[in-house]
């Protein structure tokens, strides 16, 4: 069997775009690369919009990137190669937005322990639930580890190794901030993978934190990739050392737009919007049917949500589990006030844990955008900008599209909550309200084992004709999505034609370490 030369990528979110970008850089120039996007724009959940007369920047999807880990390095390398460094806006480790994080529990805003010893001690001693966590941290190294490769919910894991209140309050708030998800359903193995790996390898999270080295859980291939990137970007990585989070002058969409612009300049790449893929057919090659045309490929990379891949496959039961995990919907309410000092506190924002007793509108958290990214709007006007997120797993019981709360209601609710939580009585000058439907995949317990079965089924039925990437599989952050597309493309290009690449081959690594 010869190596694939004609690639069709399904889905033009960050995963599909980055797969196309890596192919365009590393595949032979004779390769043909087509990206099929169903909607009228590229970027998927990345949506940075400028609103009103003053063109205020609002983020409806992701708003910040982290420079850490191998995913952080891979994205920074991409940012550098796309000449985006001059547009980079960073939160440095000394900024309020890096140091000050809050939760709302049980009925007030509480500052979480940060980088300063004094303020951390103050917040621990003033809050009983933080004080109660101290013994559980001290005793954690003495708790027997779970049996090998056992998966459980995040709640079970944290309660078992630390205590229930840490899980119910601190970790649940974090899970709302990342997954908008239910701590009682999500798999610890597939969401808090580094904690899981520490227990598996050191018998204790705390012992592991003290003894492990950053590269301990990287595969040989990742170590090689990281070294290559680090060598190429030495100066940049030195500068970025002090950065906690970053975005760009025009928001995160500047990244997806820069990839699109770069791909438009490549002769062997075709970018197609308004091409909703409806059906795949696997014969000698793969036929891809959209509402517009029929395309042919040697190899199809699906960067679609797994549930959509399930619907377009020719036979429904051949690939298992694609429709197992649900995705949650999140209401985003972006608000801008015509005054720089509306907020009573400075920081990144606050999260609300599942255990907060009174949360009638199911708020997940509030980001203080103007604290985190103060320079994304044009001077001399300065605004206070906030984004409230509501719903997530709390919206799971809503089955019909029309049953979601209306935008006017969500706006009223957010204003009421901000009065109560932060004492904000001003009226926003601009706002943008929307519900991002089915936007964050939820890796329920057993996700890893399901990926394993899926991997072998793709190998058996669609070997070398289909591979998968995207937020449905190995992590939802932009860093994860780009990293997994990079790994996939490098594997496809490096492997001998007889090695089958599915995008899920990590499940074959014997010691099952991964990050
Ligand atoms: C509100 C919110 C906040 C977030 N915040 C952050 C953050 O701060 N930092 C961070 O790192 N991550 C964040 N994330 C996560 C991250 O943005 C997403 O996980 C990531 O963008 C997913 O990218 P993707 O390409 O895998 O999927 P998607 O963005 O879903 O892309 C899939 C693409 O496929 C297209 N498509 C669907 N069906 C078809 C079809 N039949 N034919 C053709 N095309 C089709 C879709 O239109 C879409 O463009 C956030 C996500 C959300 C929703």
């Amino acid at each position: 069997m010869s190596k694939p030369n004609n690639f069709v990528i399904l889905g033009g979110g960050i995963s599909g775009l980055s797969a196309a970008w890596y192919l365009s850089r590393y595949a032979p120039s004779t390769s043909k690369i087509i990206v099929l996007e169903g909607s009228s724009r590229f970027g998927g959940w990345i949506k940075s919009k400028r609103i009103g007369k003053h063109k205020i920047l609002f983020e409806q999807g992701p708003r910040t990137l982290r420079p850490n880990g191998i995913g952080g390095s891979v994205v920074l390398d991409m940012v550098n190669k796309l000449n985006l460094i001059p547009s980079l806006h960073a939160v440095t480790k000394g900024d309020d937005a890096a140091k000050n994080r809050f939760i709302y529990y049980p009925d007030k805003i509480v500052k979480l322990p940060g980088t300063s010893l004094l303020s951390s001690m103050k917040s621990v001693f003033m809050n009983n639930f933080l004080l109660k966590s101290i013994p559980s941290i001290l005793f954690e190294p003495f708790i027997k580890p779970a049996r090998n490769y056992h998966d459980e919910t995040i709640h079970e894991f944290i309660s078992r190794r630390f205590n229930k209140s840490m899980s119910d309050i601190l970790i649940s708030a974090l899970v709302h901030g990342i997954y908008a998800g239910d701590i009682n359903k999500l798999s610890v193995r597939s969401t808090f993978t580094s904690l899981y790996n520490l227990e598996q390898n050191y018998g204790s999270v705390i012992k592991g934190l003290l003894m492990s080295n950053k590269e301990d859980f990287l595969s040989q291939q990742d170590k090689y990739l990281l070294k290559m990137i680090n060598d190429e970007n030495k100066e940049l990585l030195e500068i970025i050392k002090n950065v906690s989070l970053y975005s760009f002058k025009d928001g995160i969409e500047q990244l997806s737009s820069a990839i699109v612009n770069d791909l438009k300049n490549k002769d062997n790449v075709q970018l197609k919007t308004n091409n909703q893929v409806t059906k795949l057919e696997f014969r000698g090659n793969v036929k891809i049917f959209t509402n517009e045309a029929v395309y042919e490929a040697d190899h199809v990379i699906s960067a679609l949500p797994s549930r959509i891949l399930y619907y377009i496959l020719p036979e429904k039961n051949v690939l298992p589990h694609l429709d197992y995990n649900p995705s949650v919907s999140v209401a985003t309410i972006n608000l801008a006030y015509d005054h720089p000092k509306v907020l009573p506190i400075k920081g990144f924002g606050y999260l609300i844990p599942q255990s907060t007793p009174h949360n009638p509108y199911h708020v997940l958290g509030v980001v203080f955008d103007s604290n985190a990214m103060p320079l994304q709007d044009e001077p001399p006007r300065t605004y206070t900008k906030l984004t409230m997120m509501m719903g997530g797993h709390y919206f799971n019981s809503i089955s019909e599209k029309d049953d979601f709360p209306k935008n006017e209601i969500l706006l009223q609710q957010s204003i009421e909550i901000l009065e109560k939580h932060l004492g904000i009585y001003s009226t926003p000058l601009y706002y943008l309200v929307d519900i991002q439907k089915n936007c964050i995949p939820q890796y329920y317990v057993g996700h890893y084992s399901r990926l394993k079965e899926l991997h072998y089924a793709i190998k058996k039925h669609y070997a070398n004709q289909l591979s998968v990437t995207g937020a449905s599989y190995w992590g939802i952050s932009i860093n994860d999505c780009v990293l997994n597309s990079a790994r996939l493309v490098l594997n496809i290009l490096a492997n001998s034609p007889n090695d089958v690449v599915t995008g899920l081959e990590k499940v074959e690594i014997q010691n099952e370490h991964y990050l």
Side-chain angles (χ1 to χ4, degrees):
M1 196 183 284
S2 57
K3 275 200 177 193
N5 206 39
N6 294 335
F7 296 92
V8 171
I9 297 167
L10 315 181
I14 191 68
S15 301
L17 290 176
S18 32
W21 190 74
Y22 285 105
L23 276 174
S24 77
R25 292 183 71 84
Y26 299 114
S29 56
T30 51
S31 308
K32 278 207 230 139
I33 304 154
I34 300 177
V35 183
L36 299 176
E37 165 56 41
S39 74
S40 57
R41 58 179 283 283
F42 289 105
W45 292 116
I46 299 179
K47 286 192 238 168
S48 315
K49 295 186 177 166
R50 290 209 178 266
I51 299 294
K53 198 169 110 202
H54 302 108
K55 303 260 178 278
I56 305 273
L57 184 81
F58 282 149
E59 294 283 13
Q60 292 189 304
R63 63 201 56 241
T64 46
L65 301 170
R66 286 188 171 276
N68 333 38
I70 179 167
S73 299
V74 166
V75 174
L76 275 170
D77 172 64
M78 177 186 242
V79 164
N80 199 9
K81 290 185 170 130
L82 290 168
N83 300 319
L84 285 176
I85 299 296
S87 304
L88 203 133
H89 281 217
V91 176
T92 61
K93 289 183 178 156
D95 291 344
D96 291 325
K99 288 189 301 188
N100 301 343
R101 289 175 184 252
F102 304 88
I103 61 168
Y104 185 83
Y105 181 83
D107 58 356
K108 62 175 193 290
I109 304 263
V110 176
K111 185 172 178 300
L112 294 176
T115 41
S116 138
L117 182 65
L118 216 63
S119 78
S120 299
M121 281 170 68
K122 191 172 153 201
S123 80
V124 169
F125 285 109
M126 282 175 64
N127 294 288
N128 200 23
F129 68 88
L130 291 173
L131 202 56
K132 276 203 307 208
S133 300
I134 293 176
S136 75
I137 295 171
L138 296 176
F139 285 114
E140 193 272 344
F142 302 100
I143 292 172
K144 218 172 95 191
R147 67 173 198 277
N148 282 356
Y149 310 129
H150 163 74
D151 196 10
E152 61 195 322
T153 67
I154 304 171
H155 182 71
E156 285 163 344
F157 179 90
I158 301 291
S159 307
R160 180 168 60 73
R161 297 227 55 90
F162 297 93
N163 67 22
K164 190 170 167 311
S165 81
M166 186 191 280
S167 173
D168 284 339
I169 303 168
L170 294 177
I171 306 297
S172 146
L174 196 63
V175 169
H176 274 175
I178 304 171
Y179 294 94
D182 182 349
I183 193 169
N184 296 300
K185 300 235 168 84
L186 295 177
S187 149
V188 70
R189 183 172 192 178
S190 296
T191 57
F192 283 38
T193 309
S194 41
L195 296 190
Y196 172 88
N197 280 338
L198 291 174
E199 184 191 42
Q200 287 290 318
N201 292 285
Y202 295 90
S204 143
V205 173
I206 302 288
K207 261 197 260 171
L209 279 174
L210 297 173
M211 292 163 67
S212 63
N213 172 314
K214 268 189 192 162
E215 292 194 9
D216 274 0
F217 302 118
L218 295 184
S219 65
Q220 280 311 319
Q221 187 202 29
D222 280 354
K223 280 184 188 155
Y224 174 75
L225 183 64
L226 193 61
K227 184 170 177 333
M228 203 173 73
I229 289 170
N230 288 349
D231 288 349
E232 269 185 47
N233 299 278
K234 264 197 184 115
E235 275 173 38
L236 170 64
L237 293 171
E238 198 48 44
I239 301 169
I240 219 88
K241 255 189 185 156
N242 201 26
V243 168
S244 166
L245 298 167
Y246 67 94
S247 177
F248 306 97
K249 170 82 178 92
D250 290 320
I252 298 286
E253 195 163 335
Q254 225 179 314
L255 175 62
S256 48
S257 302
I259 303 176
V260 168
N261 289 336
D262 195 59
L263 291 173
K264 277 184 182 161
N265 290 326
K266 303 276 165 66
D267 291 339
N268 60 341
V269 179
Q270 291 181 51
L271 298 173
K272 309 261 181 196
T273 49
N274 299 309
N275 265 267
Q276 183 94 23
V277 181
T278 51
K279 196 170 76 169
L280 300 179
E281 239 178 53
F282 295 82
R283 299 269 160 84
N285 58 4
V286 194
K287 273 204 171 108
I288 304 107
F289 297 80
T290 77
N291 54 322
E292 282 288 313
V294 182
Y295 301 87
E296 290 194 21
D298 307 331
H299 188 101
V300 166
I301 295 179
S302 169
L304 301 171
S306 62
R307 189 172 285 265
I308 295 182
L309 176 60
Y310 170 79
Y311 287 118
I312 62 171
L313 283 171
E315 294 151 296
K316 293 287 160 284
N317 300 321
V318 164
L319 296 189
H321 312 308
L322 286 170
D323 65 340
Y324 184 92
N325 287 330
S327 289
V328 293
S329 302
V330 176
T332 50
I333 301 105
N334 302 92
L335 305 162
Y337 299 85
D338 193 12
H339 194 282
K341 290 194 178 136
V342 169
L343 282 165
I345 44 175
K346 287 183 178 170
F348 188 79
Y350 67 95
L351 293 167
I352 307 191
Q354 242 164 292
S355 51
T356 289
H358 191 67
N359 185 10
Y361 303 140
H362 299 140
V363 180
L364 302 163
V366 179
V367 180
F368 304 162
D369 299 300
S370 45
N371 272 194
M373 292 289 149
L375 303 173
Q376 286 175 320
D377 300 307
E378 287 307 319
R381 295 173 74 99
T382 41
Y383 305 89
T384 299
K385 287 195 298 183
L386 308 176
T387 305
M388 183 175 288
M389 317 232 184
M390 290 180 182
H393 66 101
Y394 295 116
F395 281 163
N396 281 359
S397 53
I398 302 177
S399 51
E400 293 295 320
K401 205 169 97 208
D402 295 340
D403 292 342
F404 281 101
K406 299 282 169 284
N407 287 358
E408 314 81 74
I409 308 274
L410 291 167
L411 180 65
Q412 280 318 313
Q413 291 175 340
S414 67
I415 289 172
E416 186 187 319
I417 292 293
L418 292 172
E419 269 181 34
K420 183 167 178 251
H421 291 182
L422 295 168
I424 298 178
Y425 290 93
S426 321
T427 308
L429 180 66
Y430 297 110
Y431 56 82
L432 185 64
V433 183
D434 209 351
I435 298 182
Q436 321 300 327
K437 303 242 170 70
N438 300 322
C439 61
I440 304 185
Q442 304 289 297
Y443 303 158
Y444 280 1
V445 172
H447 181 67
Y448 185 90
S449 309
R450 289 191 293 277
L451 289 188
K452 203 167 190 169
E453 288 177 20
L454 179 60
H455 166 71
Y456 288 110
I458 299 179
K459 253 180 130 165
K460 180 167 170 202
H461 297 283
Y462 304 121
N464 288 327
Q465 291 194 302
L466 175 71
S467 57
V468 295
T469 181
S472 298
Y473 307 98
W474 295 114
I476 64 158
S477 73
I478 303 270
N479 286 352
D480 293 326
C481 292
V482 175
L483 171 64
N484 288 312
S485 292
R487 281 171 173 152
L488 170 64
V489 167
L490 297 180
N491 275 339
I492 293 174
L493 299 177
N495 274 19
S496 86
N498 296 328
D499 289 333
V500 178
V501 177
T502 67
L504 305 174
E505 38 282 323
K506 266 189 290 182
V507 297
E508 286 191 25
I509 298 173
Q510 259 314 301
N511 59 11
E512 313 206 11
H513 288 161
Y514 64 91
L515 275 184

